[in-house]
Each structure stands twice: as structure tokens, then as C-alpha cells.
Amino acid sequence: EAQVTQNPRYLITVTGKKLTVTCSQNMNHEYMSWYRQDPGLGLRQIYYSMNVEVTDKGDVPEGYKVSRKEKRNFPLILESPSPNQTSLYFCASSPQLSGANVLTFGAGSRLTVL
Amino acid sequence: AQSVTQPDIHITVSEGASLELRCNYSYGATPYLFWYVQSPGQGLQLLLKYFSGDTLVQGIKGFEAEFKRSQSSFNLRKPSVHWSDAAEYFCAVGRYNNNDMRFGAGTRLTVKP
């Protein structure tokens, strides 16, 4: 089944404790992206990647890092999480970078930073 | 920069009633328009999309949307809502060969029995 898999689905952590949210897709998509969803704000893009080793900032990149060493994986790294990063995170992918492409989303990762 | 407005944060309808969710966008040219649905605990799933051609597009689960260029709108409709339609709905706008896809803030739909 074609899908985007995120882990963990739920995580509670404390301020400053580094964490990684993994994202993997099995569709050979070139384009991958991370979003955060907050009430009243919709989805805001954190980082995106057009292909292996090509990443760029989205609208809200502060406090996050990403890497794209393999085509299928696009982990989101929070080096020193803070409470304002408490949110619902989604990874998404599409065949290429194009506003016309439909995004395939993961099921989401709910992160709480205490 | 393009933007998307969903004026209704929360809508409640009775099962069997009709539904219209509003979406307005700001963009200089014809955008690519999408409606996604997010069921509780799940990721976003595409309901329908509009790129060009017939301005009335059909989607999954009995949903349709109409693109009105003069009003910069892309409203989502369903003639008869089912309890399983309770979810959050997001309108999105994209541009060709561009990363600048924008999502609205979402409309939460509650369905009364």
C-alpha cells in the first residue's frame, strides 16, 4: 500500500531533550515536506525537500532541522524542543515539486513539550 | 503571496441536511485548488481538486466544489451529510512548479443525529 509513515504518533517530552520524528514514504516520491498544524492556523510548512540532499526552509523553520540522505526518508529533528513546539506534525510527499501535485500525508505525530 | 481564507471555523449540520463550506483565495492567476479532509486521528486525504476546465468538480464521498473566478471562491458542497462526514476540512491553493502551497485554517464539521 502506498503510504507515508510517521513515528512516533504520540510523544511527550521535556524542554531541551532532543528528539527526531521519522517520516518514510514508499512511493518513490521526489518531494517531501513537513507541516505543523495548530488550531486556527491551519497547516504551516516547516521544511521541504525537492530530492535527496536538497532541502529548504518553509514558513516556520525556526527550531527545526531536517535531512534527506535517502529518497524515502525525511526525518524532522528538534534539537532543543520548547513548549511552543507543542503541535500536531504532518509529513507529506508528492511525485515532484509542483503546486498541481496531490500531497500524500502521514497520519500525524502529536508532540507535547513540557 | 497567495492566501486562503475559510471563514467558518466550526459548522454544525443535521444528518441528511445539505452542506456548504466556504473557501476564498487570494492569487493573481488561476491557482490549483484542493479540498482535503482530516478525520480524527488521521492524516489529510484529498477530496477533490481543480486545475482547469469544468468549474464544477466532483470528488470522493459525494462531495463537489465549484470554482468561481469572479468571487475567488472554491466552495465545497454535499447534498446530504452523513454522520461519517464529521471531520475537519481544509482548502488549499497551489501554483505550478512552485512550493508555495497554502492551506486555510480549516473548518470543523459536526454532524447532529
Side-chain angles (χ1 to χ4, degrees):
Chain A
E1 179 189 356
Q3 60 185 359
V4 176
T5 303
Q6 296 178 227
N7 282 295
R9 293 288 312 280
Y10 302 92
L11 179 63
I12 300 175
T13 189
V14 296
T15 299
K17 186 176 181 181
K18 180 180 178 179
L19 68 92
T20 299
V21 185
T22 64
C23 174
S24 181
Q25 50 94 4
N26 62 1
M27 296 165 282
N28 201 37
H29 285 172
E30 291 185 354
Y31 178 83
M32 298 185 74
S33 181
W34 275 103
Y35 296 88
R36 59 178 290 173
Q37 181 185 359
D38 301 290
L41 297 178
L43 275 74
R44 294 179 293 167
Q45 189 180 53
I46 304 170
Y47 269 95
Y48 67 96
S49 169
M50 290 189 286
N51 213 324
V52 175
E53 302 292 1
V54 181
T55 63
D56 207 347
K57 298 177 180 178
D59 295 322
V60 289
E62 296 76 20
Y64 304 94
K65 286 175 56 177
V66 292
S67 67
R68 187 93 181 271
K69 293 183 170 56
E70 304 166 286
K71 198 171 189 178
R72 65 183 292 126
N73 296 324
F74 189 44
L76 179 70
I77 303 157
L78 286 72
E79 293 272 3
S80 183
S82 63
N84 65 12
Q85 292 178 298
T86 292
S87 187
L88 178 59
Y89 292 87
F90 287 101
C91 181
S93 72
S94 69
Q96 305 93 22
L97 167 63
S98 170
N101 276 329
V102 175
L103 291 167
T104 301
F105 284 85
S109 297
R110 185 167 293 281
L111 171 65
T112 301
V113 183
L114 302 175
Chain B
Q2 56 199 37
S3 64
V4 183
T5 302
Q6 294 181 245
D8 305 305
I9 296 173
H10 186 204
I11 284 182
T12 299
V13 300
S14 298
E15 190 168 16
S18 63
L19 171 71
E20 182 169 29
L21 302 182
R22 296 182 290 165
C23 173
N24 293 97
Y25 65 90
S26 170
Y27 180 55
T30 300
Y32 297 117
L33 297 161
F34 306 82
W35 275 99
Y36 286 87
V37 60
Q38 181 184 16
S39 298
Q42 310 226 351
L44 280 73
Q45 178 186 18
L46 180 75
L47 277 176
L48 47 79
K49 61 182 188 268
Y50 173 79
F51 292 165
S52 65
D54 192 345
T55 56
L56 184 64
V57 293
Q58 303 296 322
I60 62 170
K61 305 184 181 185
F63 285 91
E64 66 177 26
E66 186 171 14
F67 169 58
K68 293 186 177 180
R69 184 190 304 275
S70 61
Q71 298 176 20
S72 297
S73 69
F74 189 56
N75 294 349
L76 181 71
R77 301 194 293 249
K78 187 170 185 178
S80 177
V81 170
H82 187 262
W83 65 266
S84 61
D85 293 325
E88 187 148 22
Y89 292 80
F90 292 92
C91 182
V93 177
R95 291 190 292 175
Y96 179 73
N97 202 31
N98 189 290
N99 176 65
D100 194 18
M101 176 167 284
R102 298 286 165 174
F103 287 84
T107 298
R108 179 165 299 279
L109 173 66
T110 297
V111 180
K112 293 190 302 184

